[in-house]
Amino acid sequence: MTELASHAVSGGNSRGRRHPESAPASRSEFQRDRDRVVHSTAFRRLEYKTQVFVNHEGDLFRTRLTHSIEVAQIARTLARALRLNEDLAEAIALSHDLGHTPFGHAGQDALNACMRDYGGFEHNLQSLRIVELLEERYGAFDGLNLTYETREGILKHCAPKKAQELGELGRRFLDGTQPSLEAQLCNLADEIGYNNHDVDDGLRSGLITVEQLEEVGIWARHVADVRRDFPQISGRRLIHETVRRMINSLAVDLIGQTMKNIAEAGVVSLDDVHRAPPLAAFGVGIHAEHRELKHFLRINLYQHYQVLRMTNKARRIVTDLFGAFKEDPRLLPPQYQEMAKADKPRAIADYIAGMTDRYAIREHRRLFAVGEI
Ligand code: MG
């Protein structure tokens, strides 16, 4: 194994865990974090949660689980190329979406609206809440007791008021310092992951077409290369070969630009990373292309009328569930009734956020469909 860069997170400069534990026998602390995430309940549920499409719409679309695995793959490649802590990058990537509600952003927006008067709901904070509090797997503590660095990576953004409540973990949102490079890269690996697989899933669903994509620079450039290299290519193979090249070009560009930024900033330690401006970044040209792709997807896929019909329904399901439980918390499963004694809206939000797409649909049917029990 190559030696870690001096500015990488390591066992030596880690701020450790909240509840002290003896060192693992045959793993690094960050491998242990990754393993704990993989064994968690919230991680398993990602299999039945979606980003854009509702889970039961087709078996071929990405779920949050396959998305998280793809992000972890990209993040590990980036970390290894930059001699950063690959295990930490993997642990962050695998946990970055744990707090998502059913039905992707539509679910989160609906739950946030329901929680408006009770502190709001934000999936990123919920991911942290899961690993710090909600997972029940260990005798000695709530949550997974992950290292500070993994939790820092999970918390991608945070409003100043909330940052104050979070103490040490929230400080960087108040004083403008940066998280580890491993965390910064996971953020961008997430973007590379979802933009490219949304192209793939969007094409597969028929909601967007190859012809439409010709207007997007990054697609047009790579698809032209693919057609030049393989004049006979068409259909799925054309799409996959093009998406593959887009992901690769984004990753290669990101590695090159980040290396350059590290060198120019004279960064040699983890403290330097915290104090420097954000170092993980795309080059200017690729950044613009990537933004163009995001814009295309927003207009043509996320706002497609068939997607909007689905998100509208999702919003209604989440809002109905919240309303029913708020009106009568006795409808909650016993564990959540217990939690509701301390904070009713938050217990309801935790319950709903933990649901998979299909569970939420079934629960809605159980509560609202006359003739169902
Ligand atoms: Mg994600």
Side-chain angles (χ1 to χ4, degrees):
M1 214 172 96
T2 12
E3 209 185 321
L4 289 181
S6 56
H7 51 268
V9 172
S10 66
N13 59 25
S14 168
R15 294 194 217 176
R17 301 175 194 275
R18 266 187 181 166
H19 307 277
E21 294 185 61
S22 47
S26 50
R27 301 174 284 178
S28 76
E29 294 286 0
F30 305 101
Q31 281 177 283
R32 174 144 80 177
D33 277 6
R34 181 221 30 223
D35 298 349
R36 286 183 176 186
V37 171
V38 170
H39 286 273
S40 70
T41 305
F43 184 73
R44 273 197 302 284
R45 287 183 181 161
L46 294 176
E47 184 177 0
Y48 301 105
K49 291 192 182 202
T50 43
Q51 310 231 100
V52 178
F53 300 91
V54 173
N55 184 244
H56 62 267
E57 291 211 319
D59 293 342
L60 300 172
F61 298 127
R62 262 71 168 187
T63 65
R64 290 217 179 261
L65 180 64
T66 54
H67 162 69
S68 299
I69 294 170
E70 290 180 13
V71 174
Q73 177 272 314
I74 297 169
R76 286 179 50 196
T77 299
L78 302 173
R80 194 184 296 190
L82 292 160
R83 292 197 298 126
L84 297 166
N85 192 321
E86 196 176 324
D87 296 324
L88 171 61
E90 189 178 15
I92 296 170
L94 291 177
S95 41
H96 86 281
D97 268 355
L98 290 178
H100 268 286
T101 60
F103 315 123
H105 288 281
Q108 121 112 15
D109 292 347
L111 196 51
N112 187 31
C114 295
M115 289 292 287
R116 193 179 299 128
D117 297 333
Y118 316 104
F121 178 89
E122 210 278 313
H123 66 83
N124 194 214
L125 283 170
Q126 190 69 7
S127 300
L128 197 63
R129 191 168 157 79
I130 286 168
V131 302
E132 290 187 344
L133 189 70
L134 296 178
E135 282 288 329
E136 296 177 306
R137 312 194 73 80
Y138 299 91
F141 44 78
D142 288 334
L144 304 177
N145 197 31
L146 303 179
T147 59
Y148 177 89
E149 290 73 20
T150 300
R151 294 186 295 120
E152 172 193 65
I154 291 173
L155 192 65
K156 283 189 280 195
H157 33 78
C158 189
K161 188 162 167 275
K162 189 70 202 172
Q164 263 156 1
E165 292 168 28
L166 288 173
E168 198 190 6
L169 207 59
R171 196 171 309 141
R172 73 183 162 91
F173 300 98
L174 302 169
D175 65 14
T177 52
Q178 303 304 319
S180 70
L181 264 163
E182 287 83 349
Q184 295 181 35
L185 286 166
C186 279
N187 235 337
L188 297 171
D190 185 23
E191 281 197 31
I192 295 176
Y194 69 70
N195 284 319
N196 285 285
H197 65 54
D198 286 353
V199 167
D200 191 8
D201 285 354
L203 288 167
R204 195 191 302 273
S205 67
L207 298 182
I208 56 173
T209 62
V210 169
E211 291 69 35
Q212 274 180 303
L213 271 164
E214 298 285 349
E215 69 183 65
V216 181
I218 191 167
W219 172 272
R221 192 155 57 82
H222 288 289
V223 86
D225 287 352
V226 170
R227 287 190 173 122
R228 184 201 59 215
D229 295 348
F230 306 100
Q232 306 302 325
I233 204 167
S234 66
R236 270 191 208 172
R237 209 184 283 262
L238 171 86
I239 294 167
H240 293 157
E241 180 67 33
T242 308
V243 170
R244 181 183 81 71
R245 290 179 186 217
M246 291 201 300
I247 294 175
N248 187 59
S249 75
L250 288 163
V252 168
D253 176 85
L254 178 53
I255 291 165
Q257 186 63 45
T258 304
M259 259 178 198
K260 199 165 156 246
N261 293 348
I262 292 168
E264 278 175 11
V267 161
V268 291
S269 71
L270 182 57
D271 277 343
D272 292 345
V273 172
H274 292 313
R275 282 191 293 260
L279 297 166
F282 294 112
V284 179
I286 288 266
H287 181 70
E289 274 191 345
H290 201 218
R291 281 180 57 133
E292 186 194 20
L293 174 62
K294 278 168 97 158
H295 179 74
F296 171 87
L297 288 170
R298 190 167 61 245
I299 303 297
N300 296 288
L301 183 61
Y302 311 143
Q303 293 177 12
H304 191 287
Y305 84 100
Q306 280 177 317
V307 173
L308 290 179
R309 283 182 181 196
M310 213 160 53
T311 51
N312 184 284
K313 205 190 289 181
R315 197 175 307 127
R316 198 144 359 106
I317 291 174
V318 168
T319 310
D320 285 350
L321 289 177
F322 190 91
F325 294 130
K326 184 150 173 289
E327 196 179 286
D328 190 353
R330 292 173 308 171
L331 302 178
L332 288 165
Q335 174 203 351
Y336 290 95
Q337 284 192 36
E338 201 49 46
M339 288 160 66
K341 286 178 186 160
D343 185 342
K344 186 169 81 171
R346 188 57 58 189
I348 298 170
D350 284 340
Y351 180 45
I352 294 177
M355 292 178 184
T356 60
D357 295 4
R358 59 182 189 174
Y359 185 91
I361 292 168
R362 271 189 223 145
E363 188 75 332
H364 190 270
R365 211 178 292 146
R366 280 193 287 264
L367 286 167
F368 290 93
V370 178
E372 289 249 354
I373 44 167

